[in-house]
Amino acid sequence: MNPQLQLLIALQDILSLIREARDPSQKRALGKMGFKLTNLEALEQSREDLESQLSPAIRSQYARAKKRYGRIVAPVINGICYGCFVKIPSAIDTAEDRNQTLYRCENCGMFLFWVEK
Amino acid sequence: MKLSEILTPRRIALDLKARTKEEVLEELVRLLKLSSPARKALLRTLTAREELGSTSVGGGVAIPHCRSLVVSKVLVAVGLSRRGINFRSPDRKRVFLFFLIFAPLVGNPGEYLVVLGSVAQAAKVLARDRRIKKVKTARDFIKLVKELEK
Ligand SMILES: [Zn+2]
C-alpha cells in the first residue's frame, strides 16, 4: 500500500476517534458501558505526529479536505465514493494500482481507499 | 442484536499466548485473518484508542474496539487468557476475557454503539459465570453464550 495512503488512513481513523470522544452523546453512551475517554491530549499528539509525516503537497490537500469536510479519505465500496456517493470512473475503479497510487475523487476531492471485501 | 449471532468459531482463541497488552491486541487482530496492510492499520487505530483510555471495563473483561476505514462490516474476535493480562484496568484486575470489535467508519454510529453495548453487557455476564474457565472448544464457548442469552 502507498505509504502516504497508510498515513492518511491512520489519520482518518484518529480524526473519527477524536470526534467520537468530543461528541457528548457518544461519550455518555460509551461511559455507560464502562469506557472512559480521558486522554484526548495523547490522541491529538498522535494526530500531530502523523500529520508531520505527510509530504508537503499531500499535507496541503489533507488540510483542505479536513477543513471542508472534516474527513479526508473516503472508502470506495462497489465502485462508489463514500465521500460524495458518486460513481468512480470504471478505469480508475478497476486500476491495478489502486491503493498503490494515491487517487482522489474527481467529484469531492477526497483521497480514495478501496476497502477489502 | 445477540452476541452469539456474530461469533465465529475460528475467531475465538481459548488459550491466548500473549503476555502484554500490545501482544494481546496483535494476537486478537490476527484471528481475523486480514491482509497485512489492513492488520497494521487496525492495530495502529486500536493502539490510539487505548491511548484515549483503557478499554477494560473491569471484572476481568476488556473490549478493545474502534471504527476504521479498512473494514467494511462489523468484525468480532474473542480471546481467553488463562493467566490474565495487565491491561491497565480501572479496577487493576488482570483481564482474562477479551472481545475485539471493529466497525466500519461509514454507516450509522448508533448501530455501532448498539453492538458495542450488547457485547459489553454479555461479556460482563459471561465473565461472572464459572463455566467460562472450563470451556474447551470454541463451539462450547458459543453454546455458553447462547445459554446465558436465554
Ligand atoms: Zn467523492
Side-chain angles (χ1 to χ4, degrees), chain A residues 74 81-86 88 105-110 112:
Chain A
C81 164
Y82 269 66
C84 62
F85 296 97
V86 162
I88 304 286
C105 174
E106 288 174 355
N107 186 55
C108 68
M110 269 195 246
L112 296 174

Side-chain angles (χ1 to χ4, degrees), chain B residues 7 17 19 25 27 34 42 45 48 50 67 76 79 83 92 95-96 99 103 107 120 122 124 131 137 139 141 145 149:
Chain B
L7 295 177
K17 307 281 173 290
R19 287 172 178 266
L25 293 178
E27 197 174 349
L34 301 165
L42 289 170
T45 308
E50 293 296 330
R67 296 173 79 195
V76 179
R83 61 173 81 87
R92 292 166 187 248
V95 172
F96 72 94
F99 279 88
K124 285 176 201 167
R131 288 172 291 178
T137 67
R139 290 194 188 279
F141 180 88
V145 170
E149 279 169 350

Side-chain angles (χ1 to χ4, degrees), chain B residues 83-134:
Chain B
R83 61 173 81 87
I85 288 166
N86 175 3
F87 210 75
R88 280 149 246 164
S89 306
D91 61 1
R92 292 166 187 248
K93 280 188 184 160
R94 291 173 86 79
V95 172
F96 72 94
L97 177 60
F98 294 88
F99 279 88
L100 174 73
I101 304 176
F102 292 122
L105 270 192
V106 291
N108 185 350
E111 209 176 321
Y112 160 62
L113 290 174
V114 169
V115 174
L116 199 52
S118 324
V119 172
Q121 206 173 4
K124 285 176 201 167
V125 174
L126 200 56
R128 281 197 297 266
D129 196 294
R130 277 192 202 160
R131 288 172 291 178
I132 182 91
K133 304 253 182 188
K134 291 181 188 135

Side-chain angles (χ1 to χ4, degrees), chain A residues 1 6-10 12-14 16-17 20-21 25-26 29-30 32-40 42-43 46 50 53 71 73-75 77 82 113 115-117, chain B residues 34-38 40-42 44-45 48-49 51-57 63-73 90 105-106 109 112-114 116-117 120 124:
Chain A
M1 194 191 290
Q6 254 168 14
L7 283 173
L8 290 166
I9 288 170
Q12 177 62 79
D13 281 0
I14 285 188
S16 306
L17 261 179
E20 204 172 275
S25 73
Q26 288 200 55
L30 289 163
K32 270 190 196 158
M33 295 174 207
F35 303 114
K36 288 178 188 67
L37 314 177
T38 45
N39 200 357
L40 203 52
L43 217 50
S46 300
L50 289 169
Q53 295 172 52
R71 286 182 298 158
V73 186
I77 304 169
Y82 269 66
F113 170 65
V115 183
E116 282 172 44
K117 287 258 172 74
Chain B
L34 301 165
S35 70
S36 159
K40 280 183 196 153
L42 289 170
R44 202 171 199 172
T45 308
R49 170 61 190 85
E51 278 175 13
L52 190 55
S54 175
T55 56
S56 164
V57 289
I63 308 167
H65 62 271
C66 63
R67 296 173 79 195
S68 173
L69 199 64
V70 304
V71 299
S72 57
K73 56 176 188 273
L105 270 192
V106 291
Y112 160 62
L113 290 174
V114 169
L116 199 52
K124 285 176 201 167

